[in-house]
Amino acid sequence: MKYNAVTEELIEKLKGVVGDKYATTDKDKLEIYKTDEEGNSIYFHYPEVVVFPGSTEEVAAVVKLANEYLVPITPRSAGTGLSCGAIPIHHGIVIELERMNQILKMDAENLYCIVQPGVRTVDLQQAAKAEGLLYAGDPCSAESCQIGGNLATNAGGNKAVKYGTTRHQIYSLTVVTPLGDIVKVGSRLEKCSTGYCLEQLICGSEGTLGIITEATLKLRALPPYSFDVLAVFNSDEKALSLPRKILKAGIEPTSIEYMDNRSIVISGEFIKIDLPYAKKGGVYDIITVETYDEDELDKKMEKVSMLCEEAGAIDVLMADDRIWEARKKFADACRELCLTWASSDYVVPLDKIIDVTKALPVLMEKHGIDGGIVAHIGDGNIHVNILNTQNQGPEDWANTLHSYDDDIFTLVYSLGGKMSGEHGIGYKKKDAFEKFTPEGEVNLMKMLKKAWDPNNIMNPSKIIDVE
C-alpha cells in the first residue's frame, strides 16, 4: 500500500493536538526510534515525526489525523521488543506512550489496578507488593519494559507456569481503534460469555488492531513463603525431564527455568561471578515454589529436592540472587558480546523440549553460529540467543538467520510447536509466520485486519501483510 509523506501541515496539526513540546522531527531525536532492541541495521527505519500524547483523547486525535492524511502509525512503549514490532517500517508517525505512565488506581480490597501503558512493569510489581499483593506478569525485562508493550505482545516471563502470561492478568482494556474511536473492551468480571472476547484478541496483536491506552489488571494475594532451588545436572536430557516430574507430583511451581552451560558461562562472565559448576559443564534448572503455609513450604521443598535427585541432579542448592541475576542478565550479556545478537523463543509441548535442544547444536554448527540456550521449561518456551561471532555484515547475517530459522521452525512445527511463545512476530518473523501458518488461519487474520483497519495504517507490515 502507498502511504503519503508527513507534511508540514500535518505536523502543525499534530502539534495542535499534543502541544509543540510533544511532537518532534529533530533528526537526532528521531535516531532513537529507528529500532527497538534490534541491532542489525538492515531493519532500521526512521519515523518522520514522533508524538508524545498525554491522554487517550490525544491518541485518538492523532489516529484520526493519520487516517485523514493516509500516514502510517507505529505505536511504541519502551522499545524493548525483539521482533522489530516497534520499528516504523513505512516511516510516518511514531506514537510514543511514555508520558502516559500513571498507576491510576490500586484497589487492594478488590484485587485490581488501573494503569496506563507507559508504566514500567517493575514499578507496578513494586506498587502491588507495597500493598501486600502480587502483579503476576514478570518478563525478564521487567526493569525496562512497560505494560503497554507487555499487553501488545502478550509477554510471558518467569512466572507464567503458575500465573499465565500477560493476557491472563487482564480484566479490561481501553483501546483507540485504527479509525480513532475510543472503545473499552472486557470488564472486571470473573467469567463472561457475552459476545466476542475482544480484550483477549487485542492482547498479543502487536499494535496492529489498536493502541492500548489504559488497562484494568488483576492482582493477587502475595504468597508469604517461597523457596528457590538450583538443581545442577550434567546432561540436558536429565535437566529437561524434571518439569514433568514436578508437575505430575502435584507441586504447582511458580517458575521452572533452564540454562545450558554456554549461557551460564556467558552470564557469569558478564556479571563477574564464578557460578556453581560453570567450569565443569553443569546445566541448571531453577525452581521457585510459593505457598501461603510454612509447613506446606517445608514439605514441598523436601519433595522438590527428592525429585531433583531422582532426575539425576549432581547437586541441589538454594538458588540465591546470583543465580537469578545470571538468568535475567543473559540477554544483556549477549548484547555486550555482540550488537547484532538475535533472540528466538520457540514454544513446544513439554515432552518435546529435548527434541529441540538436541537438534540445536547441530543446526547452529550447520549455519556457523554460536549462542546459548535458556528456557521457561515449565511452559515449553525455549530461548536461543545467537551471537554473530563471525562478524558477518548486515545482509549476510540476516540471510544466515533466515536459513537457520527455516530449519529450526520446520522442526518446531513438526513437533506441534510455534515460532514464538512471547516475543511476538513483528516485522522480523512476518514472512516465516506466513510460511509456517496454515493458509486458512492466515486468511482469517487478514480479513480481521482489513475490517478493523481499512486504511491499513496501524503498525502496518507487522505479523501479516494485507493488500
Side-chain angles (χ1 to χ4, degrees), residues 52 66 83-84 107 169-170 225 238 260 328-329 349 368 371 373 399:
F52 304 82
S83 299
C84 302
D107 192 325
Q169 319 311 323
I170 297 171
Y225 307 105
K238 291 176 183 176
D260 77 345
K328 292 187 175 184
K329 295 286 187 181
I373 305 168
N399 289 335

Side-chain angles (χ1 to χ4, degrees), residues 27 56 224 296 330 399 440:
K27 289 185 178 180
T56 297
E296 181 187 3
F330 180 48
N399 289 335

Side-chain angles (χ1 to χ4, degrees), residues 389-464:
T389 51
Q390 296 185 22
N391 295 316
Q392 291 183 314
E395 291 276 358
D396 288 342
W397 180 234
N399 289 335
T400 294
L401 290 176
H402 288 321
S403 297
Y404 161 79
D405 281 345
D406 200 57
D407 281 349
I408 191 63
F409 291 159
T410 298
L411 173 63
V412 164
Y413 277 75
S414 74
L415 298 171
K418 301 284 187 180
M419 65 180 63
S420 178
E422 58 187 12
H423 291 171
I425 303 303
Y427 177 73
K428 197 171 185 179
K429 291 182 277 192
K430 173 173 58 72
D431 292 342
F433 176 75
E434 184 146 2
K435 176 179 178 179
F436 285 94
T437 304
E439 183 180 2
E441 187 177 341
V442 172
N443 287 339
L444 281 175
M445 293 183 187
K446 288 184 176 183
M447 286 190 286
L448 179 65
K449 171 67 171 172
K450 287 179 182 179
W452 280 43
D453 186 9
N455 291 322
N456 194 28
I457 64 160
M458 190 64 74
N459 217 10
S461 294
K462 310 296 169 62
I463 306 181
I464 52 173

Side-chain angles (χ1 to χ4, degrees), residues 170-315:
I170 297 171
Y171 275 128
S172 66
L173 303 173
T174 298
V175 180
V176 174
T177 73
L179 293 175
D181 297 320
I182 299 170
V183 179
K184 184 174 181 179
V185 294
S187 187
R188 192 165 57 83
L189 301 170
E190 294 306 318
K191 67 177 184 179
C192 180
S193 295
T194 309
Y196 298 150
C197 196
L198 297 178
E199 70 277 13
Q200 295 297 310
L201 175 61
I202 291 166
C203 179
S205 65
E206 302 185 45
T208 62
L209 299 180
I211 301 174
I212 299 165
T213 59
E214 192 175 291
T216 301
L217 303 174
K218 300 174 184 179
L219 301 174
R220 305 164 195 267
L222 183 67
Y225 307 105
S226 67
F227 66 80
D228 295 88
V229 165
L230 172 64
V232 185
F233 294 86
N234 58 12
S235 82
D236 292 325
E237 192 159 5
K238 291 176 183 176
L240 296 172
S241 72
L242 183 61
R244 296 190 302 280
K245 297 179 188 298
I246 290 175
L247 295 171
K248 192 174 180 181
I251 296 167
E252 188 179 27
T254 302
S255 62
I256 314 176
E257 296 294 302
Y258 163 84
M259 298 181 74
D260 77 345
N261 186 255
R262 183 75 173 115
S263 67
I264 293 167
V265 170
I266 290 171
S267 285
E269 291 175 350
F270 176 71
I271 64 177
K272 298 179 172 55
I273 291 176
D274 187 14
L275 294 168
Y277 295 88
K279 296 176 182 177
K280 298 180 181 179
V283 297
Y284 291 174
D285 281 355
I286 312 165
I287 307 103
T288 301
V289 175
E290 300 171 324
T291 71
Y292 296 94
D293 180 85
E294 194 168 8
D295 291 338
E296 181 187 3
L297 186 80
D298 292 338
K299 290 176 183 177
K300 287 188 173 180
M301 185 183 297
E302 184 178 342
K303 183 68 173 176
V304 167
S305 297
M306 184 185 72
L307 290 169
C308 291
E309 291 169 1
E310 289 178 355
I314 58 175
D315 206 350

Side-chain angles (χ1 to χ4, degrees), residues 33-36 45-51 53 62-63 66 71-77 84-97 206-208 210-211 457-462:
Y33 301 97
K34 69 182 180 185
T35 188
D36 43 22
H45 289 78
Y46 288 82
E48 294 162 84
V49 59
V50 180
V51 296
V62 170
V63 172
V71 170
I73 291 169
T74 304
R76 182 184 177 104
S77 290
C84 302
I87 295 178
I89 299 300
H90 299 283
H91 311 293
I93 303 167
V94 164
I95 297 183
E96 169 60 77
L97 299 164
E206 302 185 45
T208 62
I211 301 174
I457 64 160
M458 190 64 74
N459 217 10
S461 294
K462 310 296 169 62

